[in-house]
Amino acid sequence: MGQCSGKKSQAPRRGSPPGAAGELLLHTLEDLSQLEFKKFRDALAHGDLGGRSCIPWGRLEKADWMDTKNIMLDFYGGEGALDMAITVLERIQVRNAAARLRESRQRGGKAEGLPDFQRNYKKAILQAYSRMKDQNARVGDTVSLSARYSKLVIVNKHRDKEEREDEIVAMGRRHAEIMKEQASASIVVSDLFKPGPDGWTPKVVVLLGAAGMGKTMTARKIMLDWASDKVFAEFDYVFYIHCREGNLLTSQASMADLITQCCPDSSPPLAEMLGQPEKLLFLIDGFDELRFSFDRPQSELCSQPFEKRPVEIILSSLFRRRLLPESSLLVTTRPAALRTLGKCLDCERYAEILGFSEVERKEYFHKFFENAEQAAAAFQFVRGNETLFTMCQVPIVCWIVCTVMKQQLGRSGGLACSPKTTTGIYVLYLLALLRSLSGRLKPSMPGVLRRLCCLAADGVWRQKVLFEEKEVQGYALDQREALPLLLNEYLFQKDIFCVSTYSFIHLSFQEFFAALFYLLEEEGEAEKPPAGPTRDVKALLESYGSSRNYFMLTVRFLFGLLNAERRRELEEEMGCKISPRITQELLAWLQNSQQTALALLMKETAAIRELEVCHCLYELQDERFVATALDPFTGVCLRGLNLNRFDQIVLAFSVKNFPTLEWLDFGHCSFLWDPPEDGTGQQPAGQANRLEKSGLKEETLQKLAALREVKPNLNIGYL
Ligand SMILES: Nc1ncnc2c1ncn2[C@@H]1O[C@H](COP(=O)(O)OP(=O)(O)OP(=O)(O)O)[C@@H](O)[C@H]1O
C-alpha cells in the first residue's frame, strides 16, 4: 500500500482554471486502455505520489474518465492535476502517454501564439469531433469518440495473392495468428506522412479499408487528434471532406467554398489560410462514394482556389495536383475503387486498415460496455463462437455484436436467453451495409444481390475465394453499382501487368451469400447469369455428407435463414422474396445425417451424435422445428468433445426442446466455461471453470447456466 494511505489528505485546492487543463487531462485518460485506466485510478488512490496526497479510493472506485478528470481538477487544481497525471502515468509505466501529455501541455503555450483563427478552428474541430453518434442513437445520445475508439491494425504493404487468400479463409486460431503477425508489422496513423526509409516524404496517402472497417472513424479521430495537437503538427489546417455527406452536393463551387464549408466561421480568412498551401492537409473520406468521372482532359482542370467550377472538376484538379499542388492529401476508400482512384491520383503511400486484432477486440468490448463484468461475459460468449469472433475483426461487426448483446444482457435470462444467432448477426451486418446506400442505388439491389449470391455459391462449390474480373463480370455485376459495398477489389501483379481480383470480406460472408442463393425466389431476371451451381439444395447436402466440413457453415446459414424473423428482416430491406420451400429437405437431411456407419454398426440409430445438429437447430431458433426434428431420437451421445460456453448454450437449446429425450452421454467430454487466455498457455488453477469428465457431477452440470434447463430425471453419463 502506498505511503499516503494513512496520511490525512490535503484540503483540495480549488479555483484553478479547469478549461484547457481539463480537456488535456480528459483526452489523456480516454486514450488509456481499460487496464491502464484501472491502474491509473489505483495509483492515484494508493500509490506513492512523492508526498502529494492521494484521492480516497471510495471516490475513484467507480469513476469513469469524466469523473476522474473532475475529481482530479477538484482535488489538485488545473495545473496540479496535469502534474499528478504525468507522475502517475510514469509510475504505472505508461510512458508514451506521459510524454504526450507533457508535450501537449508545452504546445498549449504555443497555441496561445497561434493566430486567432487557427486557434478557433482547432477549438471548433474539437467541439465537432469529440463526440460520436452510434448508428442506432436516439436524439441526444452521444459517446466520446476517444473513449470508444480502439486501435486498428493498419499495414502499409501489399499482400500477395496467397497471403490474401489465407486471410480470407482463416478462422479462429489461425485467423488470430495472421492478425497478430500483421499487427506486429503495422504502422500508426501519426506516421502516415513521415519520411520513408529513403527519406522521401509523401504528400498523397491512400488509406484503404473494406466497408465498416473504420475509415470514417479513423478520419474523425485524426481530426480530433490533430486539433488536440497529438498528430500531424506539420499541418496548420486539416480539412475533412466526406464524400457521402453534404459538402460535395453543390454543383458549382470553388476550392475556397469547400474550405469555407469545413470552417466554423462563415467568412474564414481564406487568403491567410491558403497562403501556405504546403501546410494544408485535405482528408477526403470515402472516395468510392463519388460518382464523378475523373478522366477529364487536363485542359478542363482548374488551378485557382477561388475559381467556381463543377465540384467534380475541383476535386479532379485537387487529385491531379493542378489545384494547391503543394498541399497534402489523405484519401480513404473501399478497395473496390482502387482502380478508379489510380486513374486520377498518384498514390505515394498506401496503407490498409485490417481491423481489430484479438487484443483490440477485447479492448473494444470493454470500452463499449464500460462495465467490466458485462464486457467479460459478452466477450467470452463471442469468443466461443469461432465464426463470429473471426468476423469481429471488422469494427462494425463488433459494434453490432456488442449492441445486441447489451440489449440481451439487460433482459432476464441474460445471454443464454433469446440469443442472436450467428446468422442473425450476419443479417444485421448486411442490413447495416445496405443502409448506407444512396436511395438511387436501392432499386437495383435485389438484382445485384441475387447475382452476388450466384457468384458466392459458385465460389463455394469450386472452393474459390478470389474471383477474376471476367468471372465477376460474367455475373453481370457492374462495378459502379452497389458492388463496392460487398466485394473488395485487389490489384495483384501478374507477369508484367497488374490485374484486378475480387473477394468477399471473409469466406464466412461468402458462405452466408451462398446459403441465401438457395433461398431467394427467382424473379424473372432480364439478364440470366451464366450457368452456375444448381439451386437444388439436395446436391449441397449430399456433398456436405461426403466432404464433411467443407459446406458446414453454408448449411448452418441455411438453417439460420429459414428463421421467419430473419427472412422478414431481409425481405423488407432487400426487396427480395425468400422462400422456406427447402424446410422439408433440411428436416429429412438432418434426421438421416445421424444414421452414421458407427451408429448402424452399434445398432444405435436413435441418438444425436453430432454437435453440429444442435448448431443447425440453434441457428434456426424455431422450437417447433426442433421438436419435430428430434422426435425420432431418444438420446444425445457426444463423446470426447471440448464444449465451450457457446457449444453449451447451443446444446442446452436442443436439450430443452427435445420432448422424447431419455438419456445424455457426455463420455470424456470437457465443459469449458471460460476459454484460456490467449498466449498464456495453461490457466492458473481456480481461474478456469474446466470440468473434467471425472469431476462432472449432475449438480455441477445443473450449475452450468447453459444447461440449467436439463430435465432432472435424465440419465446422464460422463465416463
Ligand atoms: N477504431 C474504431 N474503434 C471503435 N469503433 C470503431 C472503430 N472503427 C469503426 N468502429 C465502429 O464501426 C462502425 C463503422 O465504421 P466506419 O463508418 O468508420 O467504417 P468505414 O470503413 O468508413 O465504412 P464504409 O466504407 O461503409 O463507410 C463505426 O460506426 C463504429 O461503431
Side-chain angles (χ1 to χ4, degrees):
M1 189 174 283
Q3 62 175 50
C4 41
S5 57
K7 273 190 186 175
K8 191 168 175 289
S9 295
Q10 281 172 9
R13 270 191 271 148
R14 285 172 194 277
S16 3
E23 255 173 42
L24 268 183
L25 187 55
L26 186 60
H27 287 311
T28 305
L29 296 179
E30 285 174 339
D31 278 347
L32 298 180
S33 70
Q34 204 76 19
L35 183 64
E36 288 165 349
F37 181 55
K38 205 168 173 184
K39 283 189 186 166
F40 183 92
R41 280 177 302 149
D42 183 59
L44 206 51
H46 306 121
D48 171 1
L49 303 178
R52 308 281 308 272
S53 55
C54 297
I55 299 176
W57 179 238
R59 292 187 68 185
L60 289 171
E61 191 179 0
K62 297 220 161 85
D64 61 14
W65 294 279
M66 189 73 84
D67 301 334
T68 308
K69 174 211 70 167
N70 288 334
I71 296 170
M72 287 180 75
L73 289 178
D74 193 30
F75 215 79
Y76 304 112
E79 294 307 313
L82 292 181
D83 287 339
M84 185 54 79
I86 293 171
T87 308
V88 173
L89 289 170
E90 280 172 348
R91 197 122 314 162
I92 62 169
Q93 317 271 335
V94 190
R95 299 225 161 79
N96 283 349
R100 267 202 309 272
L101 177 55
R102 198 176 278 121
E103 258 173 48
S104 313
R105 197 180 183 188
Q106 276 159 6
R107 255 191 256 127
K110 202 178 96 193
E112 294 304 313
L114 291 180
D116 273 356
F117 185 77
Q118 201 175 325
R119 202 170 46 241
N120 289 344
Y121 180 67
K122 282 196 167 179
K123 257 195 194 157
I125 295 295
L126 275 180
Q127 179 79 17
Y129 291 83
S130 61
R131 315 269 321 154
M132 62 173 275
K133 274 192 190 148
D134 276 324
Q135 293 182 12
N136 64 346
R138 291 164 299 197
V139 180
D141 278 355
T142 57
V143 286
S144 155
L145 175 69
S146 299
R148 176 67 70 77
Y149 190 85
S150 297
K151 210 175 119 228
L152 291 159
V153 176
I154 303 178
V155 293
N156 66 340
K157 72 176 183 84
H158 289 273
R159 265 84 34 80
D160 63 25
K161 214 170 162 185
E162 284 70 31
E163 284 176 291
R164 189 69 74 174
E165 232 164 0
D166 251 10
E167 265 168 40
I168 297 170
V169 172
M171 272 275 202
R173 196 106 316 272
R174 173 77 194 121
H175 186 266
E177 275 165 19
I178 292 178
M179 281 303 280
K180 207 169 175 180
E181 240 172 78
Q182 305 281 12
S184 66
S186 68
I187 59 160
V188 288
V189 166
S190 55
D191 287 348
L192 287 177
F193 286 95
K194 291 264 161 71
D198 56 1
W200 188 66
T201 309
K203 277 194 174 298
V204 181
V205 175
V206 171
L207 185 61
L208 215 63
M213 204 49 112
K215 298 178 295 295
T216 297
M217 189 90 167
T218 302
R220 296 182 71 89
K221 181 75 163 62
I222 287 176
M223 294 304 290
L224 187 61
D225 285 350
W226 168 76
S228 325
D229 299 322
K230 285 186 193 159
V231 296
F232 298 161
E234 62 270 41
F235 300 114
D236 282 351
Y237 292 98
V238 182
F239 301 114
Y240 176 75
I241 297 179
H242 194 309
C243 302
R244 189 186 304 163
E245 282 164 11
N247 38 11
L248 299 180
L249 298 181
T250 41
S251 51
Q252 290 263 338
S254 65
M255 191 68 232
D257 293 335
L258 293 186
I259 290 178
T260 305
Q261 286 177 23
C262 300
C263 293
D265 199 324
S266 56
S267 47
L270 289 165
E272 277 172 44
M273 292 169 84
L274 293 169
Q276 280 186 290
E278 69 284 2
K279 295 253 175 193
L280 305 181
L281 169 66
F282 291 92
L283 207 174
I284 314 283
D285 185 20
F287 173 86
D288 52 285
E289 313 226 15
L290 293 176
R291 295 284 163 253
F292 300 150
S293 65
F294 287 103
D295 41 10
R296 301 278 178 147
Q298 284 281 346
S299 58
E300 282 189 24
L301 300 182
C302 89
S303 60
Q304 297 306 315
F306 289 92
E307 194 181 335
K308 280 195 194 302
R309 300 289 293 275
V311 171
E312 182 170 349
I313 300 277
I314 302 290
L315 284 183
S316 288
S317 309
L318 183 70
F319 292 154
R320 288 163 72 180
R321 319 283 31 219
R322 281 289 293 278
L323 190 55
L324 302 173
E326 304 87 352
S327 65
S328 296
L329 295 181
L330 174 57
V331 181
T332 81
T333 181
R334 291 179 187 151
L338 254 192
R339 184 104 65 110
T340 322
L341 188 71
K343 281 186 197 149
C344 67
L345 188 88
D346 279 331
C347 164
E348 298 170 1
R349 178 169 286 163
Y350 154 98
E352 186 177 350
I353 306 181
L354 302 185
F356 293 144
S357 70
E358 195 167 338
V359 173
E360 270 105 32
R361 270 169 252 178
K362 188 169 183 179
E363 168 118 2
Y364 179 90
F365 274 63
H366 281 270
K367 288 189 161 191
F368 184 92
F369 281 95
E370 293 174 2
N371 168 321
E373 232 170 80
Q374 285 193 346
F379 183 76
Q380 296 297 5
F381 175 81
V382 175
R383 205 163 159 208
N385 181 340
E386 207 174 57
T387 312
L388 213 50
F389 190 58
T390 301
M391 277 299 273
C392 276
Q393 164 196 10
V394 186
I396 200 171
V397 175
C398 260
W399 177 76
I400 292 170
V401 167
C402 287
T403 303
V404 297
M405 288 206 163
K406 198 170 200 171
Q407 289 163 8
Q408 271 170 234
L409 280 165
R411 293 186 195 127
S412 64
L415 288 180
C417 198
S418 83
K420 275 282 178 205
T421 57
T422 310
T423 315
I425 301 288
Y426 276 57
V427 168
L428 289 179
Y429 173 46
L430 174 61
L431 299 187
L433 296 184
L434 294 180
R435 285 251 160 103
S436 65
L437 276 180
S438 73
R440 198 171 48 77
L441 288 172
K442 284 200 168 134
S444 58
M445 268 328 271
V448 173
L449 283 172
R450 221 185 310 277
R451 282 169 275 149
L452 204 63
C453 289
C454 292
L455 179 77
D458 188 22
V460 166
W461 275 101
R462 293 193 292 139
Q463 308 200 0
K464 209 172 157 90
V465 292
L466 291 177
F467 301 94
E468 286 165 27
E469 193 160 22
K470 62 176 188 308
E471 291 174 292
V472 173
Q473 282 167 353
Y475 282 98
L477 286 163
D478 174 356
Q479 273 303 287
R480 295 189 64 81
E481 289 180 59
L483 201 58
L485 197 65
L486 303 164
L487 274 194
N488 292 330
E489 178 184 6
Y490 300 105
L491 298 175
F492 294 119
Q493 287 172 344
K494 186 175 178 193
D495 305 327
I496 57 171
F497 304 106
C498 221
V499 292
S500 284
T501 308
Y502 300 84
S503 81
F504 290 84
I505 193 164
H506 188 262
L507 173 61
S508 60
F509 205 39
Q510 181 182 331
E511 289 171 292
F512 172 82
F513 278 101
L516 200 51
F517 167 78
Y518 291 94
L519 291 158
L520 283 180
E521 288 278 318
E522 281 190 74
E523 274 170 36
E525 285 247 26
E527 277 176 274
K528 282 267 173 246
T534 99
R535 279 167 34 98
D536 176 10
V537 75
K538 273 202 193 110
L540 175 76
L541 297 170
E542 271 163 25
S543 300
Y544 175 94
S546 52
S547 78
R548 247 29 222 155
N549 292 335
Y550 196 71
F551 295 100
M552 187 179 86
L553 207 49
T554 310
V555 171
R556 261 196 217 180
F557 282 131
L558 273 184
F559 278 87
L561 287 167
L562 275 186
N563 176 285
E565 178 76 0
R566 302 290 86 76
R567 290 204 322 263
R568 190 189 54 74
E569 287 166 347
L570 281 172
E571 285 184 345
E572 276 176 12
E573 292 282 332
M574 296 186 348
C576 302
K577 273 221 83 43
I578 297 174
S579 154
R581 67 193 155 77
I582 59 168
T583 309
Q584 287 312 314
E585 279 158 301
L586 287 186
L587 180 68
W589 169 79
L590 198 81
Q591 292 175 337
N592 293 336
S593 71
Q594 294 314 288
Q595 297 186 0
T596 59
L598 178 70
L600 293 172
L601 189 72
M602 295 173 72
K603 298 196 172 51
E604 178 54 271
T605 53
I608 296 296
R609 298 184 169 273
E610 284 166 358
L611 187 62
E612 191 49 34
V613 168
C614 302
H615 275 289
C616 288
L617 293 174
Y618 181 81
E619 284 302 309
L620 178 54
Q621 287 291 311
D622 178 337
E623 291 171 10
R624 286 209 349 244
F625 184 96
V626 183
T628 314
L630 298 179
D631 189 55
F633 303 98
T634 54
V636 175
C637 176
L638 299 174
R639 309 208 105 224
L641 296 185
N642 286 329
L643 297 148
N644 67 27
R645 186 188 285 234
F646 183 59
D647 293 332
Q648 292 169 50
I649 290 177
V650 160
L651 177 61
F653 177 75
S654 284
V655 167
K656 191 174 139 199
N657 297 295
F658 199 151
T660 47
L661 183 67
E662 289 167 14
W663 55 275
L664 292 167
D665 184 351
F666 295 137
H668 302 272
C669 282
S670 297
F671 286 78
L672 201 68
W673 196 234
D674 293 327
E677 286 296 313
D678 181 42
T680 53
Q682 281 294 90
Q683 265 192 299
Q687 200 176 323
N689 195 356
R690 192 184 167 93
L691 303 168
E692 296 299 342
K693 51 172 175 113
S694 52
L696 187 66
K697 306 249 163 45
E698 191 169 346
E699 311 89 84
T700 328
L701 188 63
Q702 301 275 337
K703 271 196 221 142
L704 291 174
L707 290 178
R708 219 183 273 140
E709 310 283 345
V710 172
K711 294 161 203 151
N713 298 332
L714 280 182
N715 181 3
I716 307 177
Y718 310 108
L719 290 168

